[in-house]
Amino acid sequence: MMTNLKTHEPRTDSRRERVTSTRDRPEMIRRRRRRALSRAFAHVGVIVVGLLMIYPLLWMVASSFKPQELIFSEPGLLPTEFTLDNFVSGWDAIGVPFGAFFLNSFLVAACAVVGNLFSCCFAAYAFARLEFRGKKILFASMLGTIMLPFHVVLVPQYIMFQSIDWTNTYLPLVVPKFLAVDAFFIFLMIQFIRGLPRELDDAATVDGCGPIAVFWRIILPLMRPAMAVAAVFTFIWTWNDFLTPLLYITDRNLFTVPIALNAFMDSTGASQWGPMFAMSVLSLLPLFVVFLLAQKQLLKGIATTGLK
């Protein structure tokens, strides 16, 4: 009898489980449907917001392939008349081949990237690892420059560069980058270096390395993600900078891409919209290529430097 009772007990439990499972199935199906619907609505919302954000770019690209008279009169993105005349005429519309402006922007952006990486790495290492008198005051002053608007120092900088005859040259655009003027990148690299274990420095010091050797052999190779973030952001900001070259450069042969695009605008109202849109599309290609090539390093650097 005991054996029969023991053998029958699991059967009753399994029956109960089957009954409860059959009762819970409709509720589980409803939950799955609600989750699927919520995910679908979320994806649709993200797609709609993305299309709204990218619509001006798509409109500019479509307008670059339209004739001049149809840019504002023709509704919709798809052009009814497809033409490449805007790219042909826009290349030499200012009197100087647009390729010269690309070379000028590449030169300024490359020098800015090298200068920022060189100076900001040394400054960040000094603040993060070295001990010296007035470190806290200098660090607070450096952080204060982040909150200082650029327009406050605009006039004094222009007077200073004009007094040393640096106007109408690339020196005001490049030389400050070698003096660690971008506090944002210094702070970013400081946060990255502080995340590195100090035992690495101690081990290198025991092996006979000084502060410069520790920086060059230990810290600098580990700073590649942060340096990638600084390099990409510096290139993008320098390539898109309009105000600074506009202040210091007056020679048309020295124009960068943003100033050259502004030259298509005429104060009399006879603006060349088609060629300007065509050259704007070409000016976006270097930024797109740089972002694609440095995408992995950029995401890795942002994730490891505390920006998230």
Side-chain angles (χ1 to χ4, degrees), residues 198-236:
R198 285 185 174 270
E199 287 78 6
L200 298 175
D201 302 11
D202 298 337
T205 304
V206 171
D207 290 338
C209 292
I212 298 179
V214 170
F215 170 75
W216 189 258
R217 297 183 179 182
I218 306 298
I219 303 298
L220 191 62
L222 298 175
M223 289 179 60
R224 290 180 181 177
M227 293 172 64
V229 175
V232 172
F233 281 144
T234 301
F235 183 86
I236 293 175

Side-chain angles (χ1 to χ4, degrees), residues 50-101:
L51 290 176
L52 290 176
M53 294 179 63
I54 204 174
Y55 178 80
L57 177 62
L58 296 178
W59 183 84
M60 183 184 69
V61 174
S63 299
S64 65
F65 295 101
K66 294 180 181 179
Q68 181 78 18
E69 61 276 4
L70 297 180
I71 291 178
F72 297 103
S73 60
E74 183 182 52
L77 292 178
L78 297 177
T80 56
E81 295 185 20
F82 186 86
T83 180
L84 295 176
D85 293 339
N86 293 327
F87 293 89
V88 177
S89 60
W91 192 261
D92 296 316
I94 309 178
V96 179
F98 212 84
F101 306 135

